[in-house]
Amino acid sequence: MSKKSKSDNQSLQIPKPILITAKFLQAISPKLASRFAAKLFTTPIKYKIPKREFHMEKQSVQIDVLIPSINKTVKTYQYGNSKNKILLVHGWSGRGTQLVKIADKLIDLGYATVSFDAPAHGKSKGNSTIMTEFIASIHELDKQFGPFEYAIGHSLGGMSIINAIKQNLYVKKAVIIGSGDLIQDIIIDFIEKLQLKPEIGNRMREHFEQKFGESMNNYSTSVVAKNVETPVLIIHDEDDSDVNVKCAHSIHSHLKNSKLMITKKLGHRKILGNEKVIEEIITFIRS
């Protein structure tokens, strides 16, 4: 699924040749169909950097950092010169400059940001990745560039931050925007978009659980949230067509210390540049 979309504001659309291939494999072999789905599930789309992110890309100090635990290298972006650092984590098929509007405001307020292209994203090498590699990258960046005062994540980046905090990443506060929740729901949604039967999704989940030796549900945000005491601001749009707003309410109900902001008509990506959203983030981290 390396095909580039015309707009990163659109919801995921599966190309017809892939849908045809998936249905063909399902007809001849559910096992092959599940392996095909698993491959697609772990293959992000690499989008071109839009003009609005050019200045952050040019002004950042970029360094390739090896993540030893996964033996992969990620491109990192150090933006600003302050000792007060904030970690930014993009979502699936995103990039290290995607939270540019938030980063610019933080720079104006005297912070510096550190972000990265997750494995197989942006300028980082590779074709496939999974959330555990996002989490591993966060921990390694904390060792090399931290400690971070705060962490802000979008979509899968938000899920990864909550998981990293549960695994002893220390930040004063965290902000998650458009974050997913239950891994099983994410799989179901993905399989539905491929127009495949639920059985294929179950087979795909079992494939990953055998590969990694643990239940994928262990990484579901609301499950992990029960063990997180860090204050968290949850921001989600009620018209998000990529991640249902019910995820935000579920995560909020399971966190011990959280604040919920629900927006309207901003969708899954436009929300990252909204002034009111950015103001709420600033108010939260400075309060």
Side-chain angles (χ1 to χ4, degrees):
M1 291 177 66
S2 59
K3 184 177 180 181
K4 295 175 182 176
S5 172
K6 293 181 180 179
S7 171
D8 64 354
N9 288 321
Q10 295 178 346
S11 182
L12 175 65
Q13 299 296 320
I14 308 294
K16 286 185 178 180
I18 290 179
L19 294 177
I20 293 171
T21 301
K23 288 184 177 180
F24 172 73
L25 291 174
Q26 178 177 250
I28 64 171
S29 171
K31 181 177 181 180
L32 285 177
S34 66
R35 294 296 186 270
F36 180 69
K39 178 64 177 176
L40 295 175
F41 190 73
T42 58
T43 304
I45 301 169
K46 288 193 176 185
Y47 293 104
K48 291 181 179 179
I49 299 177
K51 291 182 179 179
R52 64 178 176 273
E53 299 174 24
F54 280 0
H55 67 280
M56 182 177 178
E57 197 275 336
K58 291 179 179 178
Q59 295 172 22
S60 297
V61 176
Q62 299 179 28
I63 300 175
D64 290 327
V65 173
L66 174 67
I67 313 301
S69 62
I70 59 175
N71 195 30
K72 291 188 177 182
T73 299
V74 300
K75 179 73 71 177
T76 63
Y77 301 82
Q78 300 171 67
Y79 191 44
N81 299 312
S82 175
K83 294 181 179 179
N84 302 317
K85 300 176 183 178
I86 298 177
L87 177 67
L88 306 179
V89 186
H90 67 76
W92 189 253
S93 293
R95 57 206 161 267
T97 54
Q98 192 169 14
L99 278 67
V100 60
K101 295 295 185 181
I102 297 171
D104 282 342
K105 185 62 176 180
L106 293 172
I107 298 299
D108 290 342
L109 293 173
Y111 295 99
T113 66
V114 175
S115 57
F116 64 102
D117 293 336
H121 288 73
K123 297 180 181 180
S124 295
K125 295 180 180 179
N127 297 311
S128 65
T129 189
I130 200 165
M131 183 167 64
T132 52
E133 296 187 345
F134 274 65
I135 299 168
S137 299
I138 289 172
H139 285 302
E140 186 61 29
L141 264 60
D142 183 53
K143 291 179 183 177
Q144 298 206 24
F145 301 107
F148 298 112
E149 291 197 34
Y150 310 103
I152 302 173
H154 175 237
S155 197
L156 182 63
M159 297 180 72
S160 300
I161 285 173
I162 297 300
N163 272 274
I165 291 173
K166 189 246 184 180
Q167 296 176 14
N168 298 320
L169 170 73
Y170 175 76
V171 288
K172 294 177 182 177
K173 296 178 181 179
V175 179
I176 60 174
I177 308 167
S179 175
D181 182 18
L182 299 177
I183 304 296
Q184 184 61 30
D185 285 351
I186 294 172
I187 291 175
I188 290 172
D189 180 64
F190 181 74
I191 292 300
E192 286 180 349
K193 285 178 177 175
L194 281 176
Q195 299 176 20
L196 297 176
K197 298 176 181 178
E199 174 197 353
I200 305 301
N202 293 332
R203 284 175 172 269
M204 188 177 80
R205 176 181 50 76
E206 292 171 0
H207 164 72
F208 285 123
E209 291 181 343
Q210 290 177 4
K211 182 177 180 179
F212 293 102
E214 63 178 321
S215 171
M216 292 185 74
N217 190 52
N218 291 343
Y219 294 90
S220 293
T221 316
S222 60
V223 173
V224 175
K226 298 174 183 178
N227 299 303
V228 170
E229 298 184 0
T230 303
V232 179
L233 171 61
I234 305 162
I235 306 175
H236 211 114
D237 192 80
E238 65 178 27
D239 301 304
D240 189 326
S241 60
D242 286 49
V243 182
N244 195 291
V245 69
K246 70 179 182 180
C247 295
H249 292 286
S250 176
I251 296 167
H252 179 53
S253 69
H254 286 87
L255 281 166
K256 298 178 181 179
N257 187 355
S258 63
K259 182 178 180 180
L260 181 63
M261 177 186 187
I262 302 298
T263 60
K264 297 181 180 180
K265 299 181 180 179
L266 294 178
H268 190 61
R269 296 170 184 82
K270 189 177 179 181
I271 193 171
L272 296 175
N274 182 263
E275 290 185 8
K276 290 184 178 180
V277 168
I278 296 173
E279 288 175 5
E280 186 69 19
I281 292 172
I282 298 304
T283 299
F284 176 72
I285 66 176
R286 301 185 81 182
S287 63

